[in-house]
Amino acid sequence: MNTVSARLLPVAIFALLASSGCATNKIPDDALRLTESSLEVRAIQTRRFAVKSHVDIMNATISALQDMEYNIDALDKSLGVITASKVSDADSPSDKTGRIMLDLLCGVGGTSCNSYATRDDKYAVSMTMVVLPSLEAKGEYMTRITLQRALISKAGTITNLQRIDDAGTYSEIFARLSKSLFLKENLE
Amino acid sequence: MNTFRRMMLCCFALISSGCGTTNPDIVPDNSQLAVRQLQTRHYDTLDTKLTMRSVVATLQDLGFIIDVADPDLGLVTGTRLHDYTMRMTVTVAQKSDDRVSVRANARINETGISDPRTYQDFFVVLDKAMFLTLNQVD
């Protein structure tokens, strides 16, 4: 190594140190900001029910979650928080067929796509339901749901993380809760 | 000093510089007081119970699922799956008769958040939720 290179070596190492440092991943700017549709989503996620007591609506909510095959993970009565989850199948026959065809085509082309082995396998769905006395209407209870799911591949990797803001899904859950309240009132 | 020794010294400097603490994966290299200050706000508008209600609503507004909620300890933790995994722990404590403190800390994937703007954003959303609760809006 000549003299110039020897002199530049510490400078190069300093540059390396400065650039590597203790770098952290970039935090998204909007990580904890509300989106423009937040109010709309909040309305989709919220319903009020006229029920006799907090215990009645909590019980009916738990029953509705059981009806939908969820397991209860966390519950606090005074905060009205019920969190539940389930793992469901994400493996569809049409997806399987398509991927087998793709792998066959790749084989004919002399490459390996490995599409069948990495196909979607299951959804891990989590839901929080908050059930509290309404601040707006006396004698009624406010129920608010938030939903999210992770899509897990056959290889065990998470391929998609998403919060669910689809109005139809929330309407179906509220319909289940209404039915659960009706059954509780009339059949139990 | 020959070139070999210089290289050895530089390598030693690289290895020993590290990131401050012995195990940064277990104990991060940060100032406890500074972290607490940027993660904490004080409120004198609502009591602990209604503040906790607002915290739960805030986390739901931001798309979190509640993992743990304990009103006695004033603790709420949540997880959000949205392109990345974000976890938050929020604690609510009564400081005096009419003063409640709220502390929030968050991580995205494997990274702790120390950026003050992110916590400012959280408290902006909490301020709105507190306002709605104060005005008796569900």
Side-chain angles (χ1 to χ4, degrees), chain B residues 112-132:
Chain B
I113 297 177
S114 53
D115 172 29
R117 285 174 307 171
T118 307
Y119 292 105
Q120 278 166 17
D121 289 340
F122 173 79
F123 286 110
V124 165
V125 183
L126 178 61
D127 289 349
K128 284 180 186 166
M130 298 273 280
F131 177 81
L132 290 175

PDB file of all heavy atoms in Angstrom, chain B residues 112-132:
ATOM      1  N   GLY B 112     -37.637   1.026  18.001  1.00  0.00           N
ATOM      2  CA  GLY B 112     -38.325   1.885  18.951  1.00  0.00           C
ATOM      3  C   GLY B 112     -38.437   3.280  18.359  1.00  0.00           C
ATOM      4  O   GLY B 112     -37.527   3.731  17.662  1.00  0.00           O
ATOM      5  N   ILE B 113     -39.554   3.959  18.641  1.00  0.00           N
ATOM      6  CA  ILE B 113     -39.741   5.300  18.065  1.00  0.00           C
ATOM      7  C   ILE B 113     -39.285   6.349  19.067  1.00  0.00           C
ATOM      8  O   ILE B 113     -39.779   6.406  20.192  1.00  0.00           O
ATOM      9  CB  ILE B 113     -41.220   5.522  17.673  1.00  0.00           C
ATOM     10  CG1 ILE B 113     -41.608   4.519  16.580  1.00  0.00           C
ATOM     11  CG2 ILE B 113     -41.451   6.950  17.205  1.00  0.00           C
ATOM     12  CD1 ILE B 113     -43.050   4.588  16.167  1.00  0.00           C
ATOM     13  N   SER B 114     -38.325   7.168  18.648  1.00  0.00           N
ATOM     14  CA  SER B 114     -37.862   8.243  19.520  1.00  0.00           C
ATOM     15  C   SER B 114     -38.104   9.605  18.872  1.00  0.00           C
ATOM     16  O   SER B 114     -37.741  10.629  19.433  1.00  0.00           O
ATOM     17  CB  SER B 114     -36.368   8.056  19.826  1.00  0.00           C
ATOM     18  OG  SER B 114     -35.661   7.933  18.615  1.00  0.00           O
ATOM     19  N   ASP B 115     -38.746   9.570  17.706  1.00  0.00           N
ATOM     20  CA  ASP B 115     -39.011  10.812  16.981  1.00  0.00           C
ATOM     21  C   ASP B 115     -40.150  11.579  17.658  1.00  0.00           C
ATOM     22  O   ASP B 115     -41.280  11.086  17.732  1.00  0.00           O
ATOM     23  CB  ASP B 115     -39.384  10.449  15.531  1.00  0.00           C
ATOM     24  CG  ASP B 115     -39.864  11.646  14.755  1.00  0.00           C
ATOM     25  OD1 ASP B 115     -39.424  12.765  15.082  1.00  0.00           O
ATOM     26  OD2 ASP B 115     -40.671  11.472  13.820  1.00  0.00           O
ATOM     27  N   PRO B 116     -39.891  12.805  18.155  1.00  0.00           N
ATOM     28  CA  PRO B 116     -40.935  13.555  18.879  1.00  0.00           C
ATOM     29  C   PRO B 116     -42.185  13.802  18.032  1.00  0.00           C
ATOM     30  O   PRO B 116     -43.282  13.829  18.557  1.00  0.00           O
ATOM     31  CB  PRO B 116     -40.263  14.889  19.215  1.00  0.00           C
ATOM     32  CG  PRO B 116     -38.823  14.708  18.971  1.00  0.00           C
ATOM     33  CD  PRO B 116     -38.637  13.567  18.042  1.00  0.00           C
ATOM     34  N   ARG B 117     -42.008  13.970  16.703  1.00  0.00           N
ATOM     35  CA  ARG B 117     -43.176  14.282  15.854  1.00  0.00           C
ATOM     36  C   ARG B 117     -44.215  13.168  15.869  1.00  0.00           C
ATOM     37  O   ARG B 117     -45.407  13.417  15.830  1.00  0.00           O
ATOM     38  CB  ARG B 117     -42.721  14.542  14.410  1.00  0.00           C
ATOM     39  CG  ARG B 117     -42.061  15.909  14.236  1.00  0.00           C
ATOM     40  CD  ARG B 117     -41.505  16.029  12.844  1.00  0.00           C
ATOM     41  NE  ARG B 117     -40.630  14.879  12.554  1.00  0.00           N
ATOM     42  CZ  ARG B 117     -40.132  14.610  11.364  1.00  0.00           C
ATOM     43  NH1 ARG B 117     -40.416  15.373  10.340  1.00  0.00           N
ATOM     44  NH2 ARG B 117     -39.347  13.564  11.186  1.00  0.00           N
ATOM     45  N   THR B 118     -43.725  11.920  15.935  1.00  0.00           N
ATOM     46  CA  THR B 118     -44.659  10.785  15.936  1.00  0.00           C
ATOM     47  C   THR B 118     -45.522  10.839  17.201  1.00  0.00           C
ATOM     48  O   THR B 118     -46.731  10.619  17.145  1.00  0.00           O
ATOM     49  CB  THR B 118     -43.865   9.457  15.878  1.00  0.00           C
ATOM     50  OG1 THR B 118     -42.972   9.524  14.775  1.00  0.00           O
ATOM     51  CG2 THR B 118     -44.790   8.262  15.713  1.00  0.00           C
ATOM     52  N   TYR B 119     -44.889  11.158  18.346  1.00  0.00           N
ATOM     53  CA  TYR B 119     -45.664  11.248  19.593  1.00  0.00           C
ATOM     54  C   TYR B 119     -46.577  12.475  19.583  1.00  0.00           C
ATOM     55  O   TYR B 119     -47.704  12.428  20.089  1.00  0.00           O
ATOM     56  CB  TYR B 119     -44.720  11.259  20.804  1.00  0.00           C
ATOM     57  CG  TYR B 119     -44.037   9.922  20.971  1.00  0.00           C
ATOM     58  CD1 TYR B 119     -42.714   9.734  20.624  1.00  0.00           C
ATOM     59  CD2 TYR B 119     -44.759   8.811  21.413  1.00  0.00           C
ATOM     60  CE1 TYR B 119     -42.099   8.494  20.732  1.00  0.00           C
ATOM     61  CE2 TYR B 119     -44.167   7.572  21.516  1.00  0.00           C
ATOM     62  CZ  TYR B 119     -42.834   7.411  21.177  1.00  0.00           C
ATOM     63  OH  TYR B 119     -42.253   6.189  21.274  1.00  0.00           O
ATOM     64  N   GLN B 120     -46.099  13.569  18.956  1.00  0.00           N
ATOM     65  CA  GLN B 120     -46.981  14.749  18.824  1.00  0.00           C
ATOM     66  C   GLN B 120     -48.245  14.368  18.056  1.00  0.00           C
ATOM     67  O   GLN B 120     -49.349  14.749  18.429  1.00  0.00           O
ATOM     68  CB  GLN B 120     -46.247  15.879  18.090  1.00  0.00           C
ATOM     69  CG  GLN B 120     -45.337  16.681  18.995  1.00  0.00           C
ATOM     70  CD  GLN B 120     -44.363  17.554  18.207  1.00  0.00           C
ATOM     71  OE1 GLN B 120     -44.559  17.811  17.023  1.00  0.00           O
ATOM     72  NE2 GLN B 120     -43.315  17.983  18.876  1.00  0.00           N
ATOM     73  N   ASP B 121     -48.052  13.592  16.970  1.00  0.00           N
ATOM     74  CA  ASP B 121     -49.200  13.153  16.165  1.00  0.00           C
ATOM     75  C   ASP B 121     -50.167  12.332  17.013  1.00  0.00           C
ATOM     76  O   ASP B 121     -51.383  12.502  16.923  1.00  0.00           O
ATOM     77  CB  ASP B 121     -48.724  12.299  14.972  1.00  0.00           C
ATOM     78  CG  ASP B 121     -48.023  13.124  13.916  1.00  0.00           C
ATOM     79  OD1 ASP B 121     -48.234  14.358  13.899  1.00  0.00           O
ATOM     80  OD2 ASP B 121     -47.262  12.547  13.107  1.00  0.00           O
ATOM     81  N   PHE B 122     -49.613  11.439  17.850  1.00  0.00           N
ATOM     82  CA  PHE B 122     -50.465  10.611  18.701  1.00  0.00           C
ATOM     83  C   PHE B 122     -51.286  11.502  19.642  1.00  0.00           C
ATOM     84  O   PHE B 122     -52.498  11.325  19.796  1.00  0.00           O
ATOM     85  CB  PHE B 122     -49.627   9.613  19.516  1.00  0.00           C
ATOM     86  CG  PHE B 122     -50.442   8.857  20.524  1.00  0.00           C
ATOM     87  CD1 PHE B 122     -51.228   7.775  20.134  1.00  0.00           C
ATOM     88  CD2 PHE B 122     -50.454   9.233  21.860  1.00  0.00           C
ATOM     89  CE1 PHE B 122     -52.004   7.091  21.061  1.00  0.00           C
ATOM     90  CE2 PHE B 122     -51.229   8.556  22.785  1.00  0.00           C
ATOM     91  CZ  PHE B 122     -52.004   7.473  22.388  1.00  0.00           C
ATOM     92  N   PHE B 123     -50.613  12.483  20.256  1.00  0.00           N
ATOM     93  CA  PHE B 123     -51.318  13.320  21.228  1.00  0.00           C
ATOM     94  C   PHE B 123     -52.328  14.260  20.547  1.00  0.00           C
ATOM     95  O   PHE B 123     -53.309  14.651  21.170  1.00  0.00           O
ATOM     96  CB  PHE B 123     -50.320  14.078  22.116  1.00  0.00           C
ATOM     97  CG  PHE B 123     -49.667  13.174  23.130  1.00  0.00           C
ATOM     98  CD1 PHE B 123     -48.331  12.827  23.030  1.00  0.00           C
ATOM     99  CD2 PHE B 123     -50.409  12.614  24.166  1.00  0.00           C
ATOM    100  CE1 PHE B 123     -47.740  11.959  23.946  1.00  0.00           C
ATOM    101  CE2 PHE B 123     -49.835  11.748  25.085  1.00  0.00           C
ATOM    102  CZ  PHE B 123     -48.495  11.416  24.978  1.00  0.00           C
ATOM    103  N   VAL B 124     -52.094  14.588  19.280  1.00  0.00           N
ATOM    104  CA  VAL B 124     -53.094  15.370  18.530  1.00  0.00           C
ATOM    105  C   VAL B 124     -54.382  14.549  18.412  1.00  0.00           C
ATOM    106  O   VAL B 124     -55.484  15.048  18.645  1.00  0.00           O
ATOM    107  CB  VAL B 124     -52.553  15.755  17.121  1.00  0.00           C
ATOM    108  CG1 VAL B 124     -53.681  16.234  16.220  1.00  0.00           C
ATOM    109  CG2 VAL B 124     -51.476  16.820  17.241  1.00  0.00           C
ATOM    110  N   VAL B 125     -54.222  13.251  18.091  1.00  0.00           N
ATOM    111  CA  VAL B 125     -55.398  12.372  17.964  1.00  0.00           C
ATOM    112  C   VAL B 125     -56.054  12.182  19.338  1.00  0.00           C
ATOM    113  O   VAL B 125     -57.287  12.204  19.466  1.00  0.00           O
ATOM    114  CB  VAL B 125     -54.999  11.003  17.346  1.00  0.00           C
ATOM    115  CG1 VAL B 125     -56.237  10.128  17.145  1.00  0.00           C
ATOM    116  CG2 VAL B 125     -54.279  11.195  16.019  1.00  0.00           C
ATOM    117  N   LEU B 126     -55.226  12.032  20.378  1.00  0.00           N
ATOM    118  CA  LEU B 126     -55.779  11.875  21.732  1.00  0.00           C
ATOM    119  C   LEU B 126     -56.525  13.141  22.161  1.00  0.00           C
ATOM    120  O   LEU B 126     -57.601  13.054  22.760  1.00  0.00           O
ATOM    121  CB  LEU B 126     -54.662  11.536  22.733  1.00  0.00           C
ATOM    122  CG  LEU B 126     -55.095  11.382  24.187  1.00  0.00           C
ATOM    123  CD1 LEU B 126     -56.118  10.252  24.362  1.00  0.00           C
ATOM    124  CD2 LEU B 126     -53.904  11.117  25.107  1.00  0.00           C
ATOM    125  N   ASP B 127     -55.957  14.311  21.838  1.00  0.00           N
ATOM    126  CA  ASP B 127     -56.632  15.580  22.172  1.00  0.00           C
ATOM    127  C   ASP B 127     -58.043  15.600  21.584  1.00  0.00           C
ATOM    128  O   ASP B 127     -59.002  16.005  22.244  1.00  0.00           O
ATOM    129  CB  ASP B 127     -55.851  16.778  21.606  1.00  0.00           C
ATOM    130  CG  ASP B 127     -54.546  17.020  22.359  1.00  0.00           C
ATOM    131  OD1 ASP B 127     -54.360  16.407  23.425  1.00  0.00           O
ATOM    132  OD2 ASP B 127     -53.714  17.798  21.853  1.00  0.00           O
ATOM    133  N   LYS B 128     -58.154  15.143  20.326  1.00  0.00           N
ATOM    134  CA  LYS B 128     -59.472  15.124  19.664  1.00  0.00           C
ATOM    135  C   LYS B 128     -60.414  14.161  20.376  1.00  0.00           C
ATOM    136  O   LYS B 128     -61.584  14.483  20.611  1.00  0.00           O
ATOM    137  CB  LYS B 128     -59.317  14.699  18.192  1.00  0.00           C
ATOM    138  CG  LYS B 128     -58.776  15.791  17.318  1.00  0.00           C
ATOM    139  CD  LYS B 128     -58.635  15.328  15.888  1.00  0.00           C
ATOM    140  CE  LYS B 128     -57.956  16.400  15.052  1.00  0.00           C
ATOM    141  NZ  LYS B 128     -57.493  15.903  13.758  1.00  0.00           N
ATOM    142  N   ALA B 129     -59.904  12.974  20.718  1.00  0.00           N
ATOM    143  CA  ALA B 129     -60.737  11.975  21.410  1.00  0.00           C
ATOM    144  C   ALA B 129     -61.173  12.503  22.783  1.00  0.00           C
ATOM    145  O   ALA B 129     -62.323  12.312  23.198  1.00  0.00           O
ATOM    146  CB  ALA B 129     -59.973  10.667  21.554  1.00  0.00           C
ATOM    147  N   MET B 130     -60.257  13.199  23.483  1.00  0.00           N
ATOM    148  CA  MET B 130     -60.585  13.770  24.804  1.00  0.00           C
ATOM    149  C   MET B 130     -61.675  14.843  24.640  1.00  0.00           C
ATOM    150  O   MET B 130     -62.591  14.929  25.446  1.00  0.00           O
ATOM    151  CB  MET B 130     -59.335  14.416  25.429  1.00  0.00           C
ATOM    152  CG  MET B 130     -58.186  13.463  25.687  1.00  0.00           C
ATOM    153  SD  MET B 130     -58.232  12.621  27.256  1.00  0.00           S
ATOM    154  CE  MET B 130     -57.618  13.838  28.366  1.00  0.00           C
ATOM    155  N   PHE B 131     -61.550  15.617  23.572  1.00  0.00           N
ATOM    156  CA  PHE B 131     -62.549  16.672  23.312  1.00  0.00           C
ATOM    157  C   PHE B 131     -63.925  16.055  23.071  1.00  0.00           C
ATOM    158  O   PHE B 131     -64.928  16.530  23.607  1.00  0.00           O
ATOM    159  CB  PHE B 131     -62.106  17.498  22.089  1.00  0.00           C
ATOM    160  CG  PHE B 131     -63.080  18.547  21.676  1.00  0.00           C
ATOM    161  CD1 PHE B 131     -63.126  19.776  22.337  1.00  0.00           C
ATOM    162  CD2 PHE B 131     -63.988  18.316  20.650  1.00  0.00           C
ATOM    163  CE1 PHE B 131     -64.041  20.741  21.974  1.00  0.00           C
ATOM    164  CE2 PHE B 131     -64.912  19.276  20.281  1.00  0.00           C
ATOM    165  CZ  PHE B 131     -64.941  20.487  20.936  1.00  0.00           C
ATOM    166  N   LEU B 132     -63.942  14.966  22.267  1.00  0.00           N
ATOM    167  CA  LEU B 132     -65.220  14.303  21.980  1.00  0.00           C
ATOM    168  C   LEU B 132     -65.824  13.717  23.255  1.00  0.00           C
ATOM    169  O   LEU B 132     -67.016  13.832  23.502  1.00  0.00           O
ATOM    170  CB  LEU B 132     -65.025  13.192  20.935  1.00  0.00           C
ATOM    171  CG  LEU B 132     -64.699  13.655  19.509  1.00  0.00           C
ATOM    172  CD1 LEU B 132     -64.422  12.459  18.604  1.00  0.00           C
ATOM    173  CD2 LEU B 132     -65.843  14.475  18.924  1.00  0.00           C
TER     174      LEU B 132
END
